[in-house]
Amino acid sequence: MGKPNAFTKWIKTNLLLVFTFIGVILGAVLGVSLRPVNLSKKSILLLSYPGELFMRLLGLMILPLIIASLITGAASLNAKLNGKMALRTIVYFLSTSLVSSLIGLILVLA
């Protein structure tokens, strides 16, 4: 077997991205092809479970990632700016989280 060409090397480097695109395309094709079939509620639940689980896991990962990036960013500043910038960052994060929560509640209850 000869040297791997650039395409093969790119595929090996970006394998997770390739699998993600394949999963999205297969999910879309499966969704469109199963649309005319009258599936029972149980089979719809079984088909949607992996996607629902994945979305919930992503939701659980968002807050720790944001907090970790805020702490890392605040710790990388010099000592004089660290206190002021950390306080500003935390206040900004909390205020934007509050605003987004309020918008979400208003949209759900309206």
Side-chain angles (χ1 to χ4, degrees):
M1 199 169 239
K3 284 183 8 183
N5 61 7
F7 181 71
T8 309
K9 191 174 180 181
W10 184 86
I11 292 290
K12 286 182 181 178
T13 306
N14 298 306
L15 197 56
L16 182 62
L17 177 68
V18 171
F19 281 147
T20 302
F21 277 126
I22 289 172
V24 168
I25 291 169
L26 286 176
V29 168
L30 185 67
V32 169
S33 63
L34 290 178
R35 186 85 170 169
V37 180
N38 291 327
L39 296 174
S40 67
K41 297 264 186 195
K42 186 174 182 177
S43 55
I44 291 173
L45 182 68
L46 289 174
L47 282 172
S48 67
Y49 183 71
E52 186 70 30
L53 184 65
F54 179 68
M55 292 305 291
R56 288 184 183 198
L57 286 173
L58 283 178
L60 286 174
M61 288 176 55
I62 289 173
L63 186 63
L65 285 174
I66 290 173
I67 296 296
S69 66
L70 287 175
I71 291 171
T72 304
S76 68
L77 297 173
N78 64 18
K80 288 187 179 184
L81 288 178
N82 197 10
K84 287 182 183 178
M85 190 56 90
L87 181 64
R88 287 181 187 171
T89 304
I90 291 170
V91 168
Y92 179 75
F93 173 71
L94 290 176
S95 62
T96 55
S97 296
L98 179 67
V99 169
S100 66
S101 299
L102 289 176
I103 290 173
L105 281 173
I106 290 170
L107 291 176
V108 167
L109 296 177

